[in-house]
Amino acid sequence: MKFGKEFAAQMVQEWQEAYMDYSKLKSILKDILKFKKQNRPPSTMATATRKGSLKRRATLYRAFSGLTSRYKSASSMNNHEDEVIIVSAVEEGGVEGDYQTMFLRSGEEGGEFEMLFFRRLDDEFNKVVKFYKKKVEETMVEADELSKQMNALIALRIKVDNPLVGGTDMVDLADNGFSSNSSSINGEKHGRTHMDAIQEIEMSSDRISKEGMKEAADREFRPAPVHVLDHVKINVELETPIEILRSVIKCSKSDLSFSRQELRTAEEKISQAFIEFYRKLRLLKSYCFLNQLAFSKIMKKYDKVSLRNASKAYMQMVDKSYLGSSDEVTKLLQGVEETYVKHFANGNHRKGLKTLRPQARKERHRITFLYGFFSGCSIALIVAIIVNIHARNILKSQGRDKYMVNVFPLYSLFGYIVLHMLMCAGNIFFWKRYRVNYSFIFGFKQGTELGYREVLLLSSGLSLLALAGVISHLDMEMDPRTKSFRTLTELIPLFLLIVVLSITFCPFNIIYRSSRFFLIRCAFHCVCAPLYKVTLPDFFLADQLTSQVQAIRSLEFYICYYGWGNFRVRSNTCEEREVYKVLYIVVAIIPYWIRFVQCLRRLFEEKDTMHGLNGLKYFSTIVAVGTRTIYQHQAEKTTTWLVLAAATSGIATLASLYWDIVIDWGLLNRNSTNPWLRDKLVVPHKGVYFVAMVLNCVLRLAWMQQVLGIQTVPFLHKTALVAAVAGLEIIRRGIWNFFRLENEHLNNVGKYRAFKSVPLPFYYDKNGDKSI
C-alpha cells in the first residue's frame, strides 16, 4: 500500500484537518517534476541522472564517520556543497515561534516552485506543532484533575475501610496491612508530576516484623490526605429515574456518605476516566509518530525529485522541535499504566493492560462463510416459495384472502426486521469505506462493535428461519398427510417469534451479547424517555422505531390473533374490536411520542430552542398519523376527515423534509463551496447527495397511498400493499441513517472531538481546592 493511503487510513478521523496535508505537498512535488521534464532536453536529463547516480556512488568511497555519530557537525553542514535550506525558528517576545525555511537555490530555474513547496511545508509543520502542543497541554490539565480524583478516591477508601481512622493515625494503617503513598493535590510541590503523584510502598509481612513495618511506615509511608474529604462532594449525574427524583429535593452535588456503594461507583467512574484518558494519550502518540513519518517521507520524495540533499537538515529540525523532542505523553502513558494496574487491576499487569488496550475485533472467515451460506439458502427458499405458489395456483385459491389477512401480517414482521438489518449492514459498509467513525459516535466499546459482516450474518440467519417457517406452513397446509395438524401449523409464526425474543434476551455470552444488551438498554431508555438523559444512541434508535410502525402493529396483531382470535380456523375479529382500533392508533404514535418527549428533555437540559422546534415537528407527525389512521378505518369516508388527513400529513411531511435535508444532513447550503450541499463532503460524487434528497422526498410521500387509496397493482392484496409501503419507509430510513451520521461525524471533525467526556465522581469546592 502506498504511504498516502496508509497515512489516511491510520489517521484519527476527527483530527484529519490537523494532520500534515500529504497529498497537497505531493501535488506540488509533481508540479516540480513536471516543470523539470518540460524545461530540460532529454540528453540533459540523462546526463543529470548519470551525475546523480555517480554522486550517490561516490559516497561509497568517503571516509566512514562511525556508528555513534547521529548527525553531521554544524560546520560540515554549513560548508557542505549540497546545502540547500536553512531552517530556523522565529522568536516572538522571547518565545520560540513558528519555523521558517530559507531556500538557498531560489535563483535557479524553477526555484519558485521549490520555494512554494517549502512555504507550504512550513505552514503544515507549524500547524501540526501548534495542534500537538495544545493537545498535550490539555492532557496535562486533565492529568492534574485525575490526580485530584485519585487522591479523593484513596482517601475515601481509607474512610470506608477504616471509618474511625484519622488522617494522622499511620500506625493503625500499617497494622492493618494497608499501604498507600499519595502526594498532595498539587504534585509539583513535592517535586512530582501528574501521574507520579500516586505511589504505593508494598512490603512483605513474612520478612519484616511488626516493629520494622512501623519504622518503615514512619520513615517512608505517607498516607493519602484524608482531610481532602472535608472539601469534596459527590457529583450526582441525572442519568436514572431514581437520580432524577432525588434531584427534585436535593441539589446535583451531595455530601459523601462513606458507603461501599459510593466507593464502588466512584471507582467505576474513575476507572472509565483513566481508560478514556489512556486512549487519548495513545492517539496523541500515534498523531506525533505519523506526522513525523509523513515529513520524513515527503522530504525523501523532494530529494528524489529535485536531486538535492535537503531532507537531513529539515528532519534535524523536526527532531529538535517540540513534536520530536517532547516526552510528556510517553511519561503520562507510563504513569497511567502503573496507576491503573495498582489501583484498578489488583496489581495484575496483564489484566490492567488488557483493559487499557482492548483488542479490535478480528475478521473471521467463518462469519463470511456462514452469512454466504445462509443467504444462499434464503434465496433458494424464496425461489421454492414462488414455485410453490405458482404450481398450486395459491393466488387464485379460495383461502387467499384468509391467508393474507391472518397469516401474512405475522410473517411480515420478520421481513421488516430483516430489511432494516440489511440497510444497517449497508450503512456500516459505507461508513467504514468513507471512514465515518460510527463506533465512536454510538459509544461502542472498542472490539465490541458489529461490522457489516456480522449484521449480514444475523439478518441472513433470521431470514432463513422466517422463510423456512413460511414454506413449512404452506407445505403442511397443502399436504394431505399433515393437513389435520392445523393447530401446530398456525403456531409456527408464534414459535419463530418466541425463538427471536429468546435469543435477544438470552443472558449467556453468545450471539453478540454486548450488542444485544446495548440495544435493550437503549430501548429501555426510549421507553422511559423523560426520566433518562438523552444520548445519540437513544434518539437514533427512537428514529428507527418511527420507521417500524407497521412492525409494531404486527406485534399488536400477534397478541390479538393468538389471544382473542380463533387461530385454529384462521379467523379473527381484531379490526372489529374498539380496543384494537384505539391501540392501532396508539402503537403508531408511540415512537413519535418518544422522540417528542426526548426533544423536551433536551430542551430542558440544553436550553436550545432547536430541540423545541424538533419537538413541534414530531408533534405535528403525531397529529398527522392519528388523523390518517382514523380516516383509513372509517366505514364511510367523509370529506372532512380526508381534508384533515391530507392537510396534517402535508404539514408534517414538509416539516420533516426540511429537517431531514437542512438540519440532519446539513445540505441545501447555497453559499457553500459545494453549491446547494455543504462545505465538507465524505462521498466524492456530489450527485449521490442530490439523488438522496430526491429519494427522500419521494419516499416521504408514501402516506398519499393511504389517504388517497391508490391501488397501483390490481392483483396485489391490500395487506401486501401496506407491507410494500412500510418497506419503502425502511429503505428511506436506511438512506437517512448514512447521511445523518456523516453529518455528525463532520461536526466532530470540525470541533476535533475524538473523545467522549466521562463524568468524574468527585467535586472540589473552590475553598477546599485552594486550601489543599
Side-chain angles (χ1 to χ4, degrees):
M1 182 185 290
K2 290 187 177 181
F3 176 75
K5 293 183 178 180
E6 187 178 350
F7 182 58
Q10 295 186 16
M11 285 181 181
V12 180
Q13 293 305 313
E14 288 76 13
W15 293 350
Q16 55 184 297
E17 292 186 355
Y19 282 82
M20 186 191 84
D21 194 345
Y22 185 81
S23 58
K24 180 66 177 177
L25 293 173
K26 191 176 176 181
S27 65
I28 298 176
L29 290 181
K30 288 181 179 179
D31 292 339
I32 295 174
L33 181 62
K34 184 179 179 181
F35 177 83
K36 288 183 177 295
K37 287 182 177 180
Q38 290 177 347
N39 291 272
R40 268 188 199 169
S43 59
T44 307
M45 290 182 66
T47 304
T49 304
R50 285 196 298 272
K51 284 183 178 180
S53 62
L54 288 173
K55 187 182 292 184
R56 285 191 294 271
R57 186 171 180 82
T59 59
L60 298 174
Y61 306 106
R62 289 179 182 170
F64 184 59
S65 58
L67 294 174
T68 57
S69 60
R70 187 177 178 187
Y71 302 112
K72 297 181 180 179
S73 62
S75 59
S76 64
M77 285 291 296
N78 292 334
N79 297 327
H80 201 279
E81 60 180 1
D82 290 338
E83 186 175 12
V84 178
I85 58 173
I86 297 176
V87 187
S88 59
V90 180
E91 293 189 0
E92 298 177 358
V95 180
E96 190 177 89
D98 293 345
Y99 289 89
Q100 289 185 358
T101 302
M102 180 183 296
F103 180 59
L104 303 178
R105 306 293 177 87
S106 58
E108 295 182 4
E109 188 178 11
E112 63 274 9
F113 290 100
E114 297 183 51
M115 286 182 65
L116 174 64
F117 170 77
F118 283 108
R119 192 156 49 239
R120 290 276 192 274
L121 187 67
D122 289 339
D123 292 341
E124 294 298 319
F125 182 74
N126 291 322
K127 176 187 73 175
V128 169
V129 170
K130 287 178 181 177
F131 180 82
Y132 182 68
K133 187 180 292 186
K134 177 185 175 183
K135 289 298 177 184
V136 170
E137 290 172 356
E138 291 177 2
T139 58
M140 302 299 273
V141 173
E142 194 172 344
D144 283 334
E145 181 60 33
L146 285 175
S147 296
K148 292 180 182 181
Q149 296 288 321
M150 280 302 301
N151 275 285
L153 177 65
I154 295 173
L156 182 59
R157 282 176 179 170
I158 296 173
K159 275 287 187 180
V160 172
D161 293 337
N162 304 272
L164 301 179
V165 174
T168 59
D169 196 347
M170 294 160 44
V171 177
D172 287 343
L173 285 176
D175 288 339
N176 291 335
F178 181 89
S179 58
S180 176
N181 184 15
S182 176
S183 71
S184 65
I185 294 303
N186 190 356
E188 294 179 356
K189 293 181 180 179
H190 299 278
R192 302 175 181 229
T193 59
H194 307 293
M195 292 297 124
D196 294 329
I198 302 164
Q199 296 182 351
E200 290 186 350
I201 309 294
E202 297 181 351
M203 303 182 180
S204 176
S205 58
D206 58 342
R207 295 176 54 193
I208 303 178
S209 64
K210 190 174 182 179
E211 290 85 2
M213 286 184 66
K214 290 182 179 180
E215 291 176 3
D218 291 337
R219 183 175 64 257
E220 299 182 13
F221 180 79
R222 185 161 50 86
V226 182
H227 65 85
V228 301
L229 296 178
D230 299 334
H231 309 287
V232 170
K233 292 184 178 181
I234 282 285
N235 282 326
V236 179
E237 297 295 326
L238 305 181
E239 296 178 348
T240 64
I242 296 176
E243 290 169 351
I244 292 289
L245 296 176
R246 285 178 179 173
S247 68
V248 176
I249 56 176
K250 293 184 178 180
C251 62
S252 61
K253 297 177 176 65
S254 62
D255 294 330
L256 289 164
S257 61
F258 308 114
S259 64
R260 288 201 174 274
Q261 177 61 34
E262 201 170 58
L263 175 61
R264 189 159 47 248
T265 303
E267 285 178 338
E268 289 175 357
K269 288 187 176 181
I270 294 182
S271 172
Q272 190 60 39
F274 267 97
I275 293 171
E276 193 65 24
F277 183 61
Y278 188 78
R279 176 175 171 269
K280 184 175 185 177
L281 293 174
R282 291 186 71 191
L283 291 183
L284 262 178
K285 191 173 183 179
S286 171
Y287 173 85
C288 176
F289 170 76
L290 276 179
N291 279 290
Q292 289 185 75
L293 184 60
F295 282 110
S296 174
K297 290 284 186 181
I298 202 69
M299 286 306 300
K300 286 180 181 179
K301 281 188 176 293
Y302 170 79
D303 287 353
K304 184 178 179 180
V305 168
S306 64
L307 301 177
R308 304 186 192 278
N309 188 17
S311 60
K312 290 184 179 180
Y314 199 88
M315 291 311 299
Q316 263 192 312
M317 179 274 296
V318 172
D319 291 339
K320 293 177 182 178
S321 68
Y322 185 82
L323 184 69
S325 62
S326 65
D327 59 350
E328 288 91 341
V329 173
T330 304
K331 289 181 178 179
L332 284 175
L333 278 169
Q334 184 179 359
V336 171
E337 289 176 0
E338 293 175 357
T339 302
Y340 193 87
V341 169
K342 289 178 182 179
H343 291 274
F344 302 102
N346 199 22
N348 191 327
H349 192 266
R350 179 178 294 179
K351 178 183 176 182
L353 290 188
K354 186 177 180 181
T355 307
L356 288 173
R357 305 174 185 175
Q359 298 295 321
R361 184 184 291 275
K362 295 180 180 179
E363 298 289 346
R364 301 184 184 275
H365 294 297
R366 70 167 176 260
I367 293 177
T368 306
F369 169 77
L370 285 176
Y371 86 70
F373 176 73
F374 291 161
S375 301
C377 292
S378 300
I379 294 171
L381 286 176
I382 291 173
V383 173
I385 291 171
I386 294 172
V387 171
N388 215 340
I389 292 172
H390 180 73
R392 296 175 179 177
N393 202 18
I394 295 176
L395 291 177
K396 297 180 180 179
S397 64
Q398 294 179 354
R400 171 179 178 262
D401 290 336
K402 272 191 172 183
Y403 186 90
M404 294 302 296
V405 171
N406 296 283
V407 179
F408 184 82
L410 302 177
Y411 286 110
S412 63
L413 169 65
F414 303 104
Y416 301 141
I417 298 174
V418 169
L419 180 59
H420 211 134
M421 293 175 74
L422 290 175
M423 296 302 298
C424 287
N427 287 330
I428 293 172
F429 175 80
F430 286 107
W431 286 333
K432 279 193 171 183
R433 179 176 178 180
Y434 295 112
R435 299 188 180 93
V436 175
N437 196 356
Y438 71 95
S439 59
F440 167 71
I441 294 173
F442 287 124
F444 296 136
K445 290 182 180 178
Q446 187 176 352
T448 63
E449 70 276 8
L450 296 183
Y452 72 93
R453 290 182 177 88
E454 288 80 8
V455 179
L456 283 176
L457 174 64
L458 295 173
S459 60
S460 59
L462 179 58
S463 67
L464 180 61
L465 281 175
L467 290 170
V470 171
I471 196 167
S472 60
H473 201 145
L474 289 173
D475 285 340
M476 290 177 70
E477 184 179 353
M478 295 297 178
D479 195 334
R481 293 172 297 178
T482 57
K483 202 168 185 180
S484 58
F485 307 148
R486 193 155 192 86
T487 302
L488 180 62
T489 305
E490 296 301 317
L491 285 175
I492 290 176
L494 184 61
F495 289 151
L496 283 175
L497 181 62
I498 292 173
V499 169
V500 172
L501 292 177
S502 300
I503 294 174
T504 303
F505 292 95
C506 177
F508 302 110
N509 192 13
I510 56 173
I511 313 179
Y512 311 117
R513 182 178 65 174
S514 60
S515 298
R516 288 189 286 108
F517 281 16
F518 182 85
L519 178 64
I520 293 169
R521 184 169 60 252
C522 291
F524 183 73
H525 289 181
C526 289
V527 174
C528 306
L531 302 178
Y532 277 94
K533 184 176 181 179
V534 182
T535 59
L536 187 141
D538 297 339
F539 69 73
F540 196 86
L541 177 61
D543 278 323
Q544 308 308 302
L545 293 177
T546 60
S547 296
Q548 286 286 5
V549 169
Q550 207 57 42
I552 300 173
R553 284 173 170 171
S554 295
L555 285 174
E556 180 196 3
F557 184 76
Y558 263 94
I559 297 171
C560 179
Y561 185 67
Y562 288 106
W564 291 278
N566 192 356
F567 64 89
R568 292 179 182 84
V569 295
R570 193 176 287 175
S571 66
N572 72 88
T573 56
C574 294
E575 294 190 358
E576 298 174 5
R577 296 172 180 266
E578 290 298 324
V579 176
Y580 183 84
K581 291 180 180 179
V582 172
L583 289 177
Y584 195 80
I585 300 174
V586 171
V587 296
I589 289 174
I590 286 175
Y592 299 102
W593 175 259
I594 290 172
R595 285 297 288 123
F596 174 68
V597 175
Q598 286 177 339
C599 291
L600 293 183
R601 171 70 189 257
R602 296 187 73 184
L603 176 64
F604 174 75
E605 286 185 341
E606 302 174 21
K607 312 298 182 185
D608 188 351
T609 55
M610 291 299 290
H611 297 310
L613 295 175
N614 198 17
L616 288 176
K617 180 198 76 173
Y618 284 107
F619 185 78
S620 68
T621 307
I622 290 172
V623 175
V625 170
T627 55
R628 202 159 63 220
T629 308
I630 292 172
Y631 171 76
Q632 184 182 357
H633 283 84
Q634 279 185 334
E636 296 181 1
K637 294 179 172 55
T638 61
T639 307
T640 305
W641 279 104
L642 173 62
V643 173
L644 280 175
T648 54
S649 297
I651 293 171
T653 301
L654 290 175
S656 298
L657 280 174
Y658 174 82
W659 203 273
D660 285 347
I661 298 174
V662 178
I663 307 299
D664 289 339
W665 294 359
L667 302 177
L668 287 183
N669 186 356
R670 184 174 56 183
N671 299 321
S672 68
T673 54
N674 302 299
W676 297 105
L677 297 176
R678 63 170 105 85
D679 292 336
K680 299 176 185 176
L681 301 174
V682 167
V683 182
H685 307 290
K686 298 178 183 178
V688 172
Y689 294 90
F690 293 104
V691 171
M693 286 190 283
V694 172
L695 281 176
N696 190 67
C697 294
V698 172
L699 296 177
R700 274 281 185 189
L701 298 175
W703 56 268
M704 291 178 63
Q705 180 273 332
Q706 293 179 334
V707 176
L708 301 179
I710 300 173
Q711 190 74 15
T712 54
V713 185
F715 63 84
L716 197 62
H717 194 272
K718 177 184 176 183
T719 313
L721 184 60
V722 170
V725 172
L728 292 176
E729 169 58 22
I730 293 171
I731 293 172
R732 187 201 67 80
R733 179 59 62 183
I735 298 171
W736 179 89
N737 288 344
F738 176 81
F739 295 102
R740 174 67 182 87
L741 227 66
E742 178 209 16
N743 193 36
E744 184 71 20
H745 171 73
L746 292 176
N747 288 336
N748 291 340
V749 170
K751 298 176 182 177
Y752 301 106
R753 189 166 51 204
F755 313 99
K756 55 184 178 181
S757 59
V758 179
L760 298 173
F762 301 111
Y763 166 75
Y764 285 83
D765 58 33
K766 293 183 179 179
N767 295 329
D769 203 0
K770 290 178 181 178
S771 64
I772 295 172

